Amino acid sequence: MKINTEIFAHRGSSGDFPENTMPAFRDAIDSGCDGIETDVQLSKDGRFIIMHDEKVNRTTNGKGYIQNLTLEQIKGLDAGIKKSTQFRDVTVPTLEELVDLLVASDFQGKLNLELKTNKIPYPGIEKQVFDYLNSRTDIKFEIIYSSFSDRSVQLLHKLDAHRVAAKLFKKNFSSAIALHKERVIEDIHLEIGWLKKHIGEFQVNHVRPWLVNTPADMEFCFKSGVAGFFTDYPRRAMKLKREMENGADA
């Protein structure tokens, strides 16, 4: 059987590599998965920083909020050592570095950029990201914008209606549905456990759940026909997808 559900590498291949780092993104590209998901924030000097948390504490050997650190200070941090000593001296990438990698690799899948504006608004980040991506005439891959912030997805839709905007949510399902009905967003990104309980309430071809790491959850997504899902283990997901398409026992 043909499975149309797309596999997105969550913060790159973050199960086996330091999340949101170049090694994780390189492995995601090499895995042949359909898309890559990552997070964008702004440094003190207004540079695009690829990191999930608002603070650098969890994933690096540093401390403090990204918005209070310059690019130079962030680049001086070790973003790999907490994963394993084999990743010592891996640095925090910028959006520009990730786009350069994808272009150089002739990546033609989808890049999901989550703007981390639900806790720190980063005024103007939507326009800055839009302007930068618009300036890159060498991009061959598709871009999906997403955010937990209603305001951000509304701004991104106004700036760039030709690219998909998706709403992330944990509990406020009604907000996501309203934005979808208004055609501000095209897709909804939600937690896999929540989706499994409410699968009948969605148009599955507009849904991408996270975080899908177990074979059982992956199989559920493939069989339910969701648009795609986010996983820390894209290689495992790709293998299971091939096995299911070929009729092999998963």
Side-chain angles (χ1 to χ4, degrees):
M1 64 172 180
K2 173 66 174 173
I3 296 174
N4 295 319
T5 298
E6 296 178 327
I7 296 165
F8 284 73
H10 179 248
R11 308 175 199 170
S13 296
S14 55
D16 299 309
F17 296 84
E19 67 177 63
N20 277 334
T21 63
M22 299 301 271
F25 295 133
R26 290 190 189 98
D27 187 77
I29 295 168
D30 291 344
S31 77
C33 65
D34 304 287
I36 294 172
E37 184 271 349
T38 191
D39 311 277
V40 185
Q41 305 194 52
L42 288 179
S43 66
K44 184 178 180 179
D45 46 350
R47 298 297 299 275
F48 298 126
I49 303 299
I50 297 294
M51 189 176 290
H52 175 269
D53 297 6
E54 287 77 13
K55 289 183 176 181
V56 301
N57 303 37
R58 180 177 63 85
T59 55
T60 79
N61 62 342
K63 292 183 179 181
Y65 284 95
I66 292 171
Q67 66 172 348
N68 294 333
L69 300 170
T70 65
L71 176 63
E72 183 179 5
Q73 289 173 314
I74 293 170
K75 278 296 186 182
L77 302 177
D78 191 320
I81 190 68
K82 287 192 173 180
K83 184 72 172 180
S84 169
T85 54
Q86 75 181 93
F87 299 117
R88 186 186 301 274
D89 297 328
V90 168
T91 59
V92 177
T94 62
L95 176 58
E96 292 90 342
E97 289 173 311
L98 173 56
V99 171
D100 285 345
L101 172 66
L102 296 175
V103 169
S105 303
D106 196 30
F107 180 69
Q108 296 184 34
K110 297 178 180 179
L111 175 64
N112 186 129
L113 289 175
E114 179 185 345
L115 274 64
K116 301 292 294 185
T117 50
N118 54 312
K119 294 181 180 179
I120 297 172
Y122 297 116
I125 189 174
E126 297 87 1
K127 180 70 161 55
Q128 291 176 60
V129 168
F130 166 77
D131 285 344
Y132 168 66
L133 294 174
N134 232 29
S135 73
R136 293 294 301 249
T137 57
D138 51 354
I139 289 177
K140 296 180 182 178
F141 50 88
E142 182 179 335
I143 293 164
I144 298 170
Y145 300 119
S146 67
S147 180
F148 279 102
S149 165
D150 288 4
R151 180 178 180 275
S152 281
V153 293
Q154 288 168 336
L155 285 171
L156 288 164
H157 176 71
K158 289 179 181 178
L159 287 165
D160 201 348
H162 297 293
R163 287 181 172 136
V164 172
K167 176 70 169 66
L168 283 148
F169 86 94
K170 288 184 179 179
K171 296 180 180 178
N172 189 9
F173 175 50
S174 59
S175 169
I177 291 298
L179 289 168
H180 183 64
K181 287 181 177 178
E182 294 167 11
R183 299 191 177 183
V184 170
I185 61 170
E186 188 168 325
D187 299 316
I188 299 171
H189 298 172
L190 69 170
E191 194 269 326
I192 180 63
W194 203 96
L195 174 64
K196 290 170 80 171
K197 295 176 182 177
H198 301 269
I199 185 68
E201 300 173 30
F202 294 92
Q203 293 177 276
V204 290
N205 61 322
H206 288 289
V207 171
R208 297 189 189 93
W210 48 270
L211 188 57
V212 182
N213 283 340
T214 68
D217 282 348
M218 292 176 186
E219 185 172 345
F220 169 83
C221 288
F222 290 137
K223 288 183 175 179
S224 63
V226 295
F229 63 80
F230 303 97
T231 179
D232 292 336
Y233 300 98
R235 289 184 184 275
R236 297 181 191 179
M238 291 289 290
K239 181 175 182 290
L240 178 59
K241 184 177 183 178
R242 288 192 295 269
E243 289 173 352
M244 290 180 65
E245 286 184 326
N246 294 330
D249 291 332

